[in-house]
Amino acid sequence: MRNRDRHSKHRGNNWKNSSRNENGTYAGNSSSQQKKHFVPPKAVTAEQIRHDEEAIRAFKSENRPVCAHCGQPITDMASALALENGNPIHFDCALEILGGQEKLGEGEKISYIGQGRFGVVYFPNVHDVKHFTIRKIIEWEDKEHRLPWRDEMSELYSHVK
């Protein structure tokens, strides 16, 4: 065994420096440690964007359904709800229908709670909207039944290139 002091330039056989090659990688793991080249995704051209926007505009202008409740055209189909027969109506018209059907007590109001459902919501303090209790859930749309007008609209908006 050699006697060397701690300032010697002799390198021992430890894992840090014994098996490095000229690239600075370890001989045993050279294939797994190589960097992979980044391949950027295909860019969307301005022409493709214009084409998609034109398709959305054409769909909107051709498919201007009329609300079955009030008779006015529905301009915002994303917020439209369906009646039992599947015809779209305005969100506000659905609230109006429910307001006529439900007897609300003091501190109660009808709110949309998601997934085609409304709720009769009770607020103990009308100025504090963070604390409430859902007293009744009203199923407005059937979750199991997909509406064709909603599927067609979502296909246009959800294409990601």
Side-chain angles (χ1 to χ4, degrees):
M1 185 164 162
R2 293 183 193 167
N3 257 342
R4 295 203 180 243
D5 62 10
R6 63 187 173 112
H7 300 290
S8 171
K9 292 188 181 192
H10 174 72
R11 305 272 190 245
N13 286 337
N14 65 18
W15 66 274
K16 287 184 179 180
N17 57 14
S18 64
S19 60
R20 286 189 184 186
N21 59 19
E22 63 272 359
N23 296 336
T25 59
Y26 296 105
N29 295 334
S30 63
S31 63
S32 66
Q33 297 241 345
Q34 289 179 351
K35 290 185 180 179
K36 296 186 179 183
H37 295 287
F38 174 72
V39 179
K42 285 187 171 182
V44 179
T45 65
E47 182 180 328
Q48 288 173 323
I49 293 171
R50 277 194 296 277
H51 179 267
D52 290 350
E53 288 174 350
E54 286 174 20
I56 291 170
R57 269 190 241 105
F59 175 78
K60 284 182 176 180
S61 64
E62 292 170 5
N63 297 306
R64 224 12 101 103
V66 176
C67 178
H69 181 71
C70 69
Q72 298 294 320
I74 300 174
T75 57
D76 186 13
M77 288 297 292
S79 67
L81 294 170
L83 288 173
E84 293 86 18
N85 60 8
N87 292 335
I89 64 169
H90 293 108
F91 180 83
D92 293 336
C93 290
L95 277 174
E96 184 180 316
I97 292 169
L98 287 174
Q101 293 174 350
E102 296 295 322
K103 303 289 185 228
L104 300 177
E106 189 175 329
E108 290 181 337
K109 92 181 214 186
I110 297 174
S111 297
Y112 185 73
I113 58 174
Q115 298 178 345
R117 299 178 304 169
F118 288 90
V120 176
V121 181
Y122 171 70
F123 295 95
N125 180 359
V126 292
H127 301 292
D128 180 16
V129 293
K130 291 182 181 180
H131 299 92
F132 59 89
T133 306
I134 299 174
R135 291 199 169 163
K136 180 180 178 182
I137 295 176
I138 304 163
E139 296 285 339
W140 184 266
E141 290 182 340
D142 184 17
K143 288 185 245 182
E144 304 299 322
H145 181 66
R146 302 263 331 197
L147 300 167
W149 56 268
R150 188 163 284 158
D151 286 342
E152 187 177 350
M153 180 187 62
S154 66
E155 282 180 23
L156 283 173
Y157 285 99
S158 65
H159 287 298
V160 178
K161 297 195 179 190

